Amino acid sequence: MPYASQSGTIDDGRNQDGQCTNNCDFCDSIKNPKKEYFEALAKKKITALAFEYIKDEDGSYPAVKSLSEIAGTASILVAAELMINNQFGKGLLFGNITGVPPTDVVILGAGTVGEFAAKTALGLGANVKVFDNSITKLRRLQNNLNQRIFTSTIQPKALLKALRRCDVAIGAMRGKDRCPVVVTETMVEHMKKGAVIVDVSIDTGGCFETSEITTHEKPTFIKHNVVHYCVPNIPSRYSKTASLSISNIITPYLLQIAEDGGIESAIRCNKGLKNGVYLYHGILTNKAIGDWFDLPDSDINLIVF
């Protein structure tokens, strides 16, 4: 993915006759926090697509869903590692060993991340509780897991009770612009000493009040005797799996673009691909990016027919 510092290496898409040609750039736009990046692409009249905005036939976002599956599974594996860390771990095995009480896991959010976190935790033998304000998502989660688990809407008393008893808490909430903070600092103070928080939602602000962005080089910090893991873009920890997953999604689109005779024809034929365009010949066509970076935007449907 090109960053703001690298956008100058992209040519302006003009041939020897000075005519403008198409430059197509697939990238993950949400993870790029620089306004200058979009301004540089706009100046060079680039047509750019973000894979997280590309829609499938059923209206879902395949790239987001795929990476969410990895993040959900990885969050439990990361928590399992942290619980046996020599410096601050509790020495608990993430499994249901005969005669030993199972590990208690609280998952906030019943979306794709929450679902795969629950599947992984249950597979390891943990006792799982899932909280979400959407009854539809909770019902779908129950059906996809093929077993009944504890589910609840987010009620402060019930959530605090679960957090006080849990060994691991996973943040997998989503919000329109920013993730809602559902766990206050007071709630974290009441958690067990040595408990682990993995805030997958940190990409959009985090759903724990005590969350602070960390890096893969220094992924954890301890606050109120609770271990916090708040690394954005958790799938990048499993780089090959994430790359293969994204390649499986992008490759068919690239082949389709070639068959259609270029990006111009492809986005006219494929509504899902057109939804992924956030810059069209230098014109910003994604309202979310425009609002986030205070840039003027236009509706892609008014430009491409």
mmCIF file with all atom_site columns, all heavy atoms in Angstrom, residues 27 46 103 106 111 169 201-202 231 268 278:
data_model
loop_
_atom_site.group_PDB
_atom_site.id
_atom_site.type_symbol
_atom_site.label_atom_id
_atom_site.label_alt_id
_atom_site.label_comp_id
_atom_site.label_asym_id
_atom_site.label_entity_id
_atom_site.label_seq_id
_atom_site.pdbx_PDB_ins_code
_atom_site.Cartn_x
_atom_site.Cartn_y
_atom_site.Cartn_z
_atom_site.occupancy
_atom_site.B_iso_or_equiv
_atom_site.pdbx_formal_charge
_atom_site.auth_seq_id
_atom_site.auth_comp_id
_atom_site.auth_asym_id
_atom_site.auth_atom_id
_atom_site.pdbx_PDB_model_num
ATOM 1  N N   . CYS A 1 27  ? -5.665  -0.345  -2.539  1.00 0.00 ? 27  CYS A N   1
ATOM 2  C CA  . CYS A 1 27  ? -5.035  -0.177  -1.229  1.00 0.00 ? 27  CYS A CA  1
ATOM 3  C C   . CYS A 1 27  ? -6.080  -0.189  -0.135  1.00 0.00 ? 27  CYS A C   1
ATOM 4  O O   . CYS A 1 27  ? -7.268  -0.275  -0.379  1.00 0.00 ? 27  CYS A O   1
ATOM 5  C CB  . CYS A 1 27  ? -4.225  1.117   -1.150  1.00 0.00 ? 27  CYS A CB  1
ATOM 6  S SG  . CYS A 1 27  ? -5.202  2.566   -0.805  1.00 0.00 ? 27  CYS A SG  1
ATOM 7  N N   . ILE A 1 46  ? -5.294  10.211  -10.136 1.00 0.00 ? 46  ILE A N   1
ATOM 8  C CA  . ILE A 1 46  ? -5.276  8.752   -10.003 1.00 0.00 ? 46  ILE A CA  1
ATOM 9  C C   . ILE A 1 46  ? -6.693  8.215   -9.813  1.00 0.00 ? 46  ILE A C   1
ATOM 10 O O   . ILE A 1 46  ? -7.529  8.835   -9.167  1.00 0.00 ? 46  ILE A O   1
ATOM 11 C CB  . ILE A 1 46  ? -4.409  8.340   -8.794  1.00 0.00 ? 46  ILE A CB  1
ATOM 12 C CG1 . ILE A 1 46  ? -2.964  8.814   -8.973  1.00 0.00 ? 46  ILE A CG1 1
ATOM 13 C CG2 . ILE A 1 46  ? -4.455  6.831   -8.551  1.00 0.00 ? 46  ILE A CG2 1
ATOM 14 C CD1 . ILE A 1 46  ? -2.220  8.155   -10.097 1.00 0.00 ? 46  ILE A CD1 1
ATOM 15 N N   . THR A 1 103 ? -11.389 -21.355 31.415  1.00 0.00 ? 103 THR A N   1
ATOM 16 C CA  . THR A 1 103 ? -11.102 -19.925 31.325  1.00 0.00 ? 103 THR A CA  1
ATOM 17 C C   . THR A 1 103 ? -12.372 -19.176 30.929  1.00 0.00 ? 103 THR A C   1
ATOM 18 O O   . THR A 1 103 ? -13.116 -19.610 30.052  1.00 0.00 ? 103 THR A O   1
ATOM 19 C CB  . THR A 1 103 ? -10.016 -19.677 30.261  1.00 0.00 ? 103 THR A CB  1
ATOM 20 O OG1 . THR A 1 103 ? -8.862  -20.451 30.576  1.00 0.00 ? 103 THR A OG1 1
ATOM 21 C CG2 . THR A 1 103 ? -9.647  -18.215 30.193  1.00 0.00 ? 103 THR A CG2 1
ATOM 22 N N   . VAL A 1 106 ? -15.011 -12.934 27.915  1.00 0.00 ? 106 VAL A N   1
ATOM 23 C CA  . VAL A 1 106 ? -16.101 -12.005 27.597  1.00 0.00 ? 106 VAL A CA  1
ATOM 24 C C   . VAL A 1 106 ? -15.790 -11.370 26.249  1.00 0.00 ? 106 VAL A C   1
ATOM 25 O O   . VAL A 1 106 ? -14.700 -10.839 26.042  1.00 0.00 ? 106 VAL A O   1
ATOM 26 C CB  . VAL A 1 106 ? -16.256 -10.910 28.682  1.00 0.00 ? 106 VAL A CB  1
ATOM 27 C CG1 . VAL A 1 106 ? -17.180 -9.796  28.187  1.00 0.00 ? 106 VAL A CG1 1
ATOM 28 C CG2 . VAL A 1 106 ? -16.781 -11.509 29.968  1.00 0.00 ? 106 VAL A CG2 1
ATOM 29 N N   . GLY A 1 111 ? -20.388 -9.416  15.846  1.00 0.00 ? 111 GLY A N   1
ATOM 30 C CA  . GLY A 1 111 ? -20.156 -9.400  14.403  1.00 0.00 ? 111 GLY A CA  1
ATOM 31 C C   . GLY A 1 111 ? -19.231 -10.536 13.996  1.00 0.00 ? 111 GLY A C   1
ATOM 32 O O   . GLY A 1 111 ? -19.094 -11.534 14.712  1.00 0.00 ? 111 GLY A O   1
ATOM 33 N N   . ALA A 1 169 ? -10.953 -10.466 28.061  1.00 0.00 ? 169 ALA A N   1
ATOM 34 C CA  . ALA A 1 169 ? -12.018 -9.649  27.478  1.00 0.00 ? 169 ALA A CA  1
ATOM 35 C C   . ALA A 1 169 ? -11.584 -9.233  26.069  1.00 0.00 ? 169 ALA A C   1
ATOM 36 O O   . ALA A 1 169 ? -10.483 -8.722  25.880  1.00 0.00 ? 169 ALA A O   1
ATOM 37 C CB  . ALA A 1 169 ? -12.297 -8.415  28.329  1.00 0.00 ? 169 ALA A CB  1
ATOM 38 N N   . SER A 1 201 ? -11.031 -3.521  18.404  1.00 0.00 ? 201 SER A N   1
ATOM 39 C CA  . SER A 1 201 ? -11.690 -2.297  17.919  1.00 0.00 ? 201 SER A CA  1
ATOM 40 C C   . SER A 1 201 ? -10.793 -1.069  17.962  1.00 0.00 ? 201 SER A C   1
ATOM 41 O O   . SER A 1 201 ? -11.246 0.031   17.631  1.00 0.00 ? 201 SER A O   1
ATOM 42 C CB  . SER A 1 201 ? -12.944 -2.017  18.760  1.00 0.00 ? 201 SER A CB  1
ATOM 43 O OG  . SER A 1 201 ? -13.799 -3.118  18.781  1.00 0.00 ? 201 SER A OG  1
ATOM 44 N N   . ILE A 1 202 ? -9.543  -1.228  18.368  1.00 0.00 ? 202 ILE A N   1
ATOM 45 C CA  . ILE A 1 202 ? -8.646  -0.071  18.515  1.00 0.00 ? 202 ILE A CA  1
ATOM 46 C C   . ILE A 1 202 ? -8.435  0.630   17.171  1.00 0.00 ? 202 ILE A C   1
ATOM 47 O O   . ILE A 1 202 ? -8.093  1.826   17.132  1.00 0.00 ? 202 ILE A O   1
ATOM 48 C CB  . ILE A 1 202 ? -7.281  -0.505  19.118  1.00 0.00 ? 202 ILE A CB  1
ATOM 49 C CG1 . ILE A 1 202 ? -6.486  0.698   19.644  1.00 0.00 ? 202 ILE A CG1 1
ATOM 50 C CG2 . ILE A 1 202 ? -6.477  -1.311  18.120  1.00 0.00 ? 202 ILE A CG2 1
ATOM 51 C CD1 . ILE A 1 202 ? -7.126  1.423   20.799  1.00 0.00 ? 202 ILE A CD1 1
ATOM 52 N N   . VAL A 1 231 ? -3.135  -3.439  19.555  1.00 0.00 ? 231 VAL A N   1
ATOM 53 C CA  . VAL A 1 231 ? -2.406  -3.252  18.296  1.00 0.00 ? 231 VAL A CA  1
ATOM 54 C C   . VAL A 1 231 ? -3.399  -3.132  17.142  1.00 0.00 ? 231 VAL A C   1
ATOM 55 O O   . VAL A 1 231 ? -4.219  -4.029  16.938  1.00 0.00 ? 231 VAL A O   1
ATOM 56 C CB  . VAL A 1 231 ? -1.444  -4.427  18.028  1.00 0.00 ? 231 VAL A CB  1
ATOM 57 C CG1 . VAL A 1 231 ? -0.727  -4.238  16.699  1.00 0.00 ? 231 VAL A CG1 1
ATOM 58 C CG2 . VAL A 1 231 ? -0.439  -4.559  19.159  1.00 0.00 ? 231 VAL A CG2 1
ATOM 59 N N   . ARG A 1 268 ? -18.189 0.177   -14.572 1.00 0.00 ? 268 ARG A N   1
ATOM 60 C CA  . ARG A 1 268 ? -19.520 0.405   -15.132 1.00 0.00 ? 268 ARG A CA  1
ATOM 61 C C   . ARG A 1 268 ? -20.337 -0.886  -15.131 1.00 0.00 ? 268 ARG A C   1
ATOM 62 O O   . ARG A 1 268 ? -21.563 -0.852  -15.012 1.00 0.00 ? 268 ARG A O   1
ATOM 63 C CB  . ARG A 1 268 ? -19.412 0.951   -16.559 1.00 0.00 ? 268 ARG A CB  1
ATOM 64 C CG  . ARG A 1 268 ? -19.051 2.430   -16.615 1.00 0.00 ? 268 ARG A CG  1
ATOM 65 C CD  . ARG A 1 268 ? -18.777 2.912   -18.037 1.00 0.00 ? 268 ARG A CD  1
ATOM 66 N NE  . ARG A 1 268 ? -18.675 4.373   -18.106 1.00 0.00 ? 268 ARG A NE  1
ATOM 67 C CZ  . ARG A 1 268 ? -17.615 5.077   -17.747 1.00 0.00 ? 268 ARG A CZ  1
ATOM 68 N NH1 . ARG A 1 268 ? -16.542 4.436   -17.297 1.00 0.00 ? 268 ARG A NH1 1
ATOM 69 N NH2 . ARG A 1 268 ? -17.601 6.391   -17.824 1.00 0.00 ? 268 ARG A NH2 1
ATOM 70 N N   . TYR A 1 278 ? -12.573 5.062   -4.481  1.00 0.00 ? 278 TYR A N   1
ATOM 71 C CA  . TYR A 1 278 ? -12.630 6.235   -3.601  1.00 0.00 ? 278 TYR A CA  1
ATOM 72 C C   . TYR A 1 278 ? -11.984 7.464   -4.242  1.00 0.00 ? 278 TYR A C   1
ATOM 73 O O   . TYR A 1 278 ? -12.130 8.583   -3.757  1.00 0.00 ? 278 TYR A O   1
ATOM 74 C CB  . TYR A 1 278 ? -11.999 5.945   -2.235  1.00 0.00 ? 278 TYR A CB  1
ATOM 75 C CG  . TYR A 1 278 ? -10.516 5.674   -2.218  1.00 0.00 ? 278 TYR A CG  1
ATOM 76 C CD1 . TYR A 1 278 ? -9.596  6.707   -2.068  1.00 0.00 ? 278 TYR A CD1 1
ATOM 77 C CD2 . TYR A 1 278 ? -10.027 4.370   -2.323  1.00 0.00 ? 278 TYR A CD2 1
ATOM 78 C CE1 . TYR A 1 278 ? -8.235  6.455   -2.040  1.00 0.00 ? 278 TYR A CE1 1
ATOM 79 C CE2 . TYR A 1 278 ? -8.671  4.114   -2.297  1.00 0.00 ? 278 TYR A CE2 1
ATOM 80 C CZ  . TYR A 1 278 ? -7.784  5.161   -2.152  1.00 0.00 ? 278 TYR A CZ  1
ATOM 81 O OH  . TYR A 1 278 ? -6.434  4.909   -2.128  1.00 0.00 ? 278 TYR A OH  1
#
